[in-house]
């Protein structure tokens, strides 16, 4: 398992947080997601044999948020 921390731009409420979390958890290989919308931070633990950082970023961007 690997962990990655991402800066997620555009989250303003708990609904935003939940949308990003659900999108990430739907990816095969993602084991856990911790998100704090107030500081625009996401920490993701995933299996690098099943997914990669680019897939995680795409899932966030597909929800309408940016990744720094």
């Amino acid at each position: 398992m690997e962990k990655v921390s991402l800066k997620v731009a555009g989250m303003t409420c708990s609904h935003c947080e939940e949308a990003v979390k659900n999108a990430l958890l739907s990816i095969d290989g993602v084991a856990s997601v911790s998100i704090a919308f107030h500081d625009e931070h996401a920490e993701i633990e995933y299996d690098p044999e099943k997914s990669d950082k680019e897939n995680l970023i795409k899932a966030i961007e597909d929800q309408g948020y940016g990744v720094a």
Side-chain angles (χ1 to χ4, degrees):
M1 295 300 246
E2 288 188 19
K3 285 188 179 180
V4 64
S5 293
L6 300 173
K7 179 84 169 165
V8 182
M11 292 190 298
T12 59
C13 65
S14 60
H15 175 73
C16 298
E17 181 180 88
E18 193 68 24
V20 172
K21 184 175 183 176
N22 288 338
L24 290 166
L25 288 172
S26 73
I27 297 172
D28 188 35
V30 172
S32 67
V33 177
S34 176
I35 297 181
F37 76 86
H38 60 283
D39 67 358
E40 298 184 322
H41 177 80
E43 186 159 322
I44 305 122
E45 185 176 16
Y46 69 99
D47 182 343
E49 293 183 14
K50 295 183 178 180
S51 191
D52 57 26
K53 187 176 176 181
E54 289 75 27
N55 284 342
L56 304 175
I57 291 170
K58 183 177 180 332
I60 294 168
E61 291 175 340
D62 285 350
Q63 293 298 308
Y65 304 97
V67 179

